[in-house]
Amino acid sequence: MIYEGGYSGKGLKIGIVVSRFNDLLTEELLKGALDCFRRHEVEELEVFRVPGAFEIPFVVKELAKKGKYDAILTLGAVVKGETYHFDLVASEVAKGIAQVNLNYETPVVFGVITVEDELQGLNRAGVKSNRGFEYAMATLEMANLRKN
Ligand code: INI
């Protein structure tokens, strides 16, 4: 027997938590995700905006606690640039999201891109491909896998 999740959005309620920091990138990731969810006929979608990637886990935790979504997609962009802040933010956001993913019943997809610079970020946020669309596909798969 093989258990796997399909990509239909029918009957699904999805939450998206997206950060504003580096919004040139995160808004493109959001566009890609919304395009994917629309084309797969997701029925209910709610978007929550937070200041930076560091703030994503808190909102994800609050949403997961409520248990009203079939899956939650997180979207953010951590750009290395020149600050040490990058490492702290990148590792804390990953840890925070992983914690919620394991501690509640709602699957959470990690859609925070970590890139060397803005150009690499742009290539992943629509110029070459759009990771937002790909992470949205993973969200559909996990939502359906859990439901079934
Ligand atoms: N937030 C990001 O989303 N991406 C970054 O690249 C980033 N860097 O490198 O500083 C970043 N910092 C802000 C952080 O997420 C918080 O919003 C801030 O520290 C307030 O808590």
Side-chain angles (χ1 to χ4, degrees), residues 50-90:
V50 295
F54 189 81
E55 283 73 40
I56 291 175
F58 174 80
V59 174
V60 173
K61 179 196 68 180
E62 292 301 306
L63 299 180
K65 262 201 273 184
K66 290 187 167 52
K68 68 178 207 178
Y69 299 100
D70 296 298
I72 298 170
L73 171 61
T74 63
L75 294 172
V78 187
V79 180
K80 191 161 191 168
E82 68 284 349
T83 64
Y84 176 60
H85 212 57
F86 164 86
D87 293 299
L88 294 176
V89 173

